[in-house]
Amino acid sequence: MSHAPTGVMERPKPASPSPKKSSLGSRSLPRLAPVGFAVLAVALGVGLSLAAGWESRIQWGLLSALFFLVVSYVATTVVENQRQAKDRLATSVMWVCFLAAVVPLASLLWTTIVRGAERLDGYFLTHSMAGVLGSEASGGVYHALIGTLEQVGIATVISAPLGLLTAVYLVEYGKGSLAKAVTFFVDVMTGIPSIVAGLFILSIMLIASLEPSGLMGALALTILMIPVVVRSTEEMLKLVPNELREASLALGIPKWRTILKVVLPTAIGGITTGVMLAIARIAGETAPIILLVFGSQLINTNPFEGAQSSLPFYIYEQYKVGEAASYDRAWAAALVLIAFVMILNLVARGIARWKAPKTGR
C-alpha cells in the first residue's frame, strides 16, 4: 500500500484572473467635445441671426448659448447616456452663466481702456480744468484726483477703525439685545442709497450753517463704508477656528490680547480685502459729492474748506458738457478711476500676504 511522502505539500494552483471588462463597449465623447459644441453653436447662432436679419450681437449670443445647450445635451444622450447628458447640461448651464457675467465686464473694461487711453497722458494727470472750455482739447484731471484721494482717505480713516471694532464686539463680546440691535442697524445701513446718506449730511450742514467741502462728502462716504467693513470683517473673524482662541486662553493670555495677537493676525487677509471692497464701493459715488462738495474746476488741496471735485463728479461733469473733447476726458477719467481701485486692491493683497501668519515650520 503506497503512501504519499510525508513533509511534501502540494502547491495551490493560482486562481485564474477574472476577465476584465472591455472599455470599448462603453462609448464616451472626447475631452474636447465641449469646444466643438461651442464652435458649432456659435456658427449656427450667428448664421441663423444673419439669415433672419438680426444685427444685435446680444441676440447672436443668446441664440448661440441656446444652441450650445441643446447640442451638448442631444449629443451626449446619443453617444453616452441620459445620466451623463444631464450632468453635461448642468455643466453647460454653469459655463453659459459664467460667460454671461464675464463678457459684459470684459467688454466694459476693454471699451474704457481703448477710449480712455486716447486722452490719458502726463499732461492730463498733472493739469486741472481751470480756465478750460468744454469744447477745448486741453485740461486734465489733477484737481479731481486730489479730491478723490482726500475724500476716500478721510472716509477710510474714520470708517475702518469703527467698522473693525464693531465687528470685534459683535463676534467676540456681543450678546443680548444690544448686539442684536447693532446687527439689525448694520444690515439696514448696508442697503441705504447713497443719495440718502448725502441728504442726511446735507441736513446737518443746513442746521449748523456749514459750507460745502471735501470733509462733508467724506462723512457721507463714511456712512456708506462702515456697514460694508463691519459685515466683511465680521465674517472673516467668524472663520478663525475657536481652537486658536481656546489655546491662547488656556495659556493664561487675556482675551483682549488673544484678539489682538491671534484672532486679528489670522484674519488680516480677509479684513484687508473687505476694507478694499468698501473703498471700491465708495470711490465711484457721485450723488453725495454733488450735494455736499459742489465740484470745482480749480485745485483745492484743503478738504476742510471750499468746494472740491472728485473723479466720479468729473466724469459726470464732462459728460454733461456734450462735446467730443469732454467725452474723451470723461473716458480718460473713468480709466484713471479703474486704475485707482485696481492699485488699491494690489496694495491690499501685498499687505495681507505680508502680515499673514506664517504656516511653515
Side-chain angles (χ1 to χ4, degrees):
M1 190 173 184
S2 62
H3 297 278
T6 60
V8 178
M9 299 180 62
E10 295 183 358
R11 185 174 298 174
K13 296 180 180 181
S16 58
S18 58
K20 295 182 178 180
K21 294 182 179 181
S22 175
S23 60
L24 298 177
S26 57
R27 297 181 300 175
S28 62
L29 290 170
R31 183 175 298 179
L32 297 179
V35 179
F37 296 156
V39 173
L40 178 60
V42 171
L44 291 174
V46 174
L48 290 179
S49 298
L50 292 177
W54 296 344
E55 298 180 356
S56 175
R57 295 182 180 180
I58 297 178
Q59 294 175 333
W60 297 2
L62 294 177
L63 194 59
S64 299
L66 180 60
F67 276 124
F68 176 69
L69 297 177
V70 173
V71 170
S72 299
Y73 182 79
V74 173
T76 307
T77 303
V78 173
V79 176
E80 297 180 359
N81 52 61
Q82 192 172 8
R83 180 179 179 182
Q84 294 294 332
K86 293 180 180 179
D87 179 76
R88 190 177 294 276
L89 178 62
T91 304
S92 301
V93 170
M94 287 188 291
W95 273 106
V96 169
C97 294
F98 169 75
L99 292 176
V102 169
V103 169
L105 296 177
S107 176
L108 175 62
L109 182 60
W110 175 254
T111 303
T112 305
I113 292 175
V114 172
R115 296 290 301 273
E118 298 177 356
R119 185 65 180 80
L120 184 61
D121 52 17
Y123 175 86
F124 183 75
L125 295 175
T126 56
H127 287 74
S128 67
M129 291 295 296
V132 179
L133 299 178
S135 59
E136 296 181 1
S138 57
V141 76
Y142 180 69
H143 62 297
L145 184 59
I146 290 178
T148 295
L149 291 174
E150 292 181 348
Q151 294 159 24
V152 172
I154 293 174
T156 304
V157 169
I158 297 174
S159 59
L162 290 177
L164 177 60
L165 294 176
T166 303
V168 170
Y169 166 75
L170 292 176
V171 175
E172 304 293 339
Y173 297 98
K175 293 180 180 179
S177 58
L178 179 59
K180 293 180 180 179
V182 172
T183 303
F184 172 76
F185 283 111
V186 168
D187 293 337
V188 171
M189 290 178 63
T190 304
I192 289 180
S194 60
I195 189 66
V196 175
L199 289 174
F200 174 72
I201 301 298
L202 180 61
S203 63
I204 296 178
M205 289 176 55
L206 295 177
I207 294 174
S209 300
L210 299 175
E211 297 294 330
S213 63
L215 177 62
M216 297 296 104
L219 293 178
L221 298 180
T222 301
I223 297 176
L224 301 174
M225 187 174 177
I226 286 178
V228 181
V229 175
V230 172
R231 182 58 62 205
S232 60
T233 305
E234 184 180 1
E235 295 301 324
M236 291 301 104
L237 294 178
K238 288 180 181 179
L239 294 178
V240 178
N242 286 328
E243 288 78 5
L244 296 179
R245 298 180 176 89
E246 295 171 356
S248 178
L249 295 174
L251 295 175
I253 307 300
K255 189 171 184 178
W256 68 268
R257 194 171 182 84
T258 298
I259 297 172
L260 188 63
K261 295 295 184 179
V262 177
V263 178
L264 292 180
T266 304
I268 188 63
I271 294 174
T272 307
T273 303
V275 173
M276 290 302 105
L277 290 175
I279 293 177
R281 161 78 169 83
I282 66 172
E285 291 295 341
T286 308
I289 306 302
I290 296 176
L291 289 175
L292 306 172
V293 184
F294 278 18
S296 174
Q297 295 184 350
L298 303 177
I299 299 174
N300 181 12
T301 58
N302 185 6
F304 302 101
E305 183 180 359
Q308 271 192 328
S309 184
S310 68
L311 288 174
F313 182 83
Y314 180 87
I315 296 170
Y316 163 75
E317 187 180 39
Q318 294 301 314
Y319 180 80
K320 188 174 63 174
V321 172
E323 299 288 343
S326 64
Y327 288 153
D328 293 338
R329 287 191 292 265
W331 280 110
L335 182 57
V336 172
L337 182 59
I338 293 176
F340 171 72
V341 176
M342 185 177 298
I343 291 173
L344 286 179
N345 278 275
L346 293 177
V347 172
R349 290 179 180 273
I351 295 175
R353 183 171 297 181
W354 174 45
K355 291 294 185 179
K358 304 299 184 292
T359 57
R361 293 183 179 179

